[in-house]
Amino acid sequence: MTDTRGGLPDRPLSPHLQVWRWHITMACSILHRATVFALYVGVLLLAGWAVALASGPDAYACYTGLLGSFLGKLVLFGLTVALLYNVAYTVRQSFWDMGKGFTPKTADMTGVGAIAFAVVGAIVVWVIAAQTGAL
Amino acid sequence: MAGPSSSARFRTPMSRARGLGASHHGVGHFVTERVSGIALIPLALWGLFAGLRLASLGFDGAAEWVAIAHNTVLLSLLIVVALIHLKGAVQVVIEDYVPDFTTKTVLVLANLFVCVLGGALGVVAILKVAFTGAL
């Protein structure tokens, strides 16, 4: 190590994706950032939906036609997973803010829980959608 | 999480006395993200429910649904609070990964403008439908 006596202390190095072994809490953190970008697009899609509704029946039919296409449904399903994951992640993070849930075992468990909640929750929402004729 | 003893090693006595962190506004950002995140838990879950309802309504049904006062308010709040939350989240990612000052500044400003424009368009469209009804 560089001799730092009398100067600045050794700084911690940033972890990089290439040199780190993948583990659950890391995957959760990266997934969280990825879903944030997905939801960014999702909220803009929601704003676009409102604009289409305000623009009249033709624009609305065109917009909902796009959302209702196979690709549109795929995007909407992904957004459902992303939204539920972020809801669970916010709860997880609120516990961290209270100083709870930092032991590796608990952090792994809540991470897996958040992903499971998102995937299972999204499937449940889409099953409900299919049964209520929303699809 | 670094304990107080390890984080104290990297801070000058003056920065500890000021207690404002490195950029002087980190606490404000942190509180905004936490509060908007907690507000989004019920709002986002309501948004899923709203999406299920709206998917089975046509143009007239959707316009009537949006015009119901509590739907108007919650839909507008969902867009505004989500964009406040996501604007902050995306800004952090930009600041983390874009070291060049000019590129970073352009991206941070673009992020702000997209969020404000998207929010304004979405909310005005919702209010237009709510106040003037379907065209």
Side-chain angles (χ1 to χ4, degrees):
Chain A
M1 289 303 280
T2 320
D3 183 55
T4 54
R5 272 173 298 173
L8 291 164
D10 285 338
R11 300 276 166 171
L13 293 171
S14 304
H16 285 280
L17 294 182
Q18 315 91 283
V19 297
W20 264 38
R21 179 179 59 84
W22 279 82
H23 53 265
I24 296 166
T25 45
M26 176 201 199
C28 285
S29 172
I30 293 167
L31 187 62
H32 184 228
R33 287 213 154 165
T35 54
V36 158
F37 278 96
L39 291 172
Y40 194 85
V41 176
V43 176
L44 295 178
L45 279 177
L46 176 61
W49 171 86
V51 171
L53 184 65
S55 307
D58 294 340
Y60 189 72
C62 179
Y63 199 84
T64 49
L66 281 176
L67 288 183
S69 68
F70 178 72
L71 197 65
K73 278 179 184 152
L74 208 62
V75 169
L76 289 178
F77 181 78
L79 286 173
T80 315
V81 176
L83 185 141
L84 289 172
Y85 180 68
N86 269 263
V87 166
Y89 205 91
T90 302
V91 173
R92 187 171 178 242
Q93 216 155 28
S94 300
F95 277 98
W96 287 347
D97 292 343
M98 294 183 279
K100 295 186 172 96
F102 284 116
T103 59
K105 207 177 166 189
T106 313
D108 282 353
M109 251 168 52
T110 53
V112 170
I115 294 173
F117 172 77
V119 173
V120 174
I123 292 170
V124 168
V125 167
W126 279 70
V127 166
I128 294 173
Q131 286 183 341
T132 54
L135 286 188
Chain B
M1 275 299 275
S5 58
S6 66
S7 67
R9 285 197 299 133
F10 298 115
R11 299 184 63 183
T12 62
M14 177 62 95
S15 87
R16 262 203 303 283
R18 287 190 179 128
L20 294 171
S23 64
H24 299 186
H25 53 253
V27 176
H29 173 93
F30 176 83
V31 172
T32 304
E33 289 308 287
R34 286 289 87 75
V35 173
S36 57
I38 289 168
L40 277 169
I41 294 176
L43 276 175
L45 293 176
W46 174 84
L48 274 184
F49 163 78
L52 284 177
R53 283 299 313 276
L54 285 163
S56 50
L57 300 170
F59 173 78
D60 293 325
E64 273 173 39
W65 185 91
V66 168
I68 298 168
H70 64 263
N71 291 337
T72 314
V73 172
L74 288 176
L75 206 50
S76 305
L77 276 180
L78 173 62
I79 291 181
V80 171
V81 179
L83 282 173
I84 289 172
H85 188 74
L86 291 166
K87 179 253 163 199
V90 168
Q91 182 171 330
V92 169
V93 179
I94 295 168
E95 288 166 349
D96 275 359
Y97 295 120
V98 184
D100 177 65
F101 177 80
T102 311
T103 318
K104 175 164 63 187
T105 308
V106 168
L107 285 174
V108 166
L109 280 177
N111 175 39
L112 175 67
F113 293 167
V114 165
C115 287
V116 172
L117 184 65
L121 281 172
V123 170
V124 169
I126 289 165
L127 293 180
K128 184 185 171 225
V129 173
F131 292 145
T132 64
L135 288 173

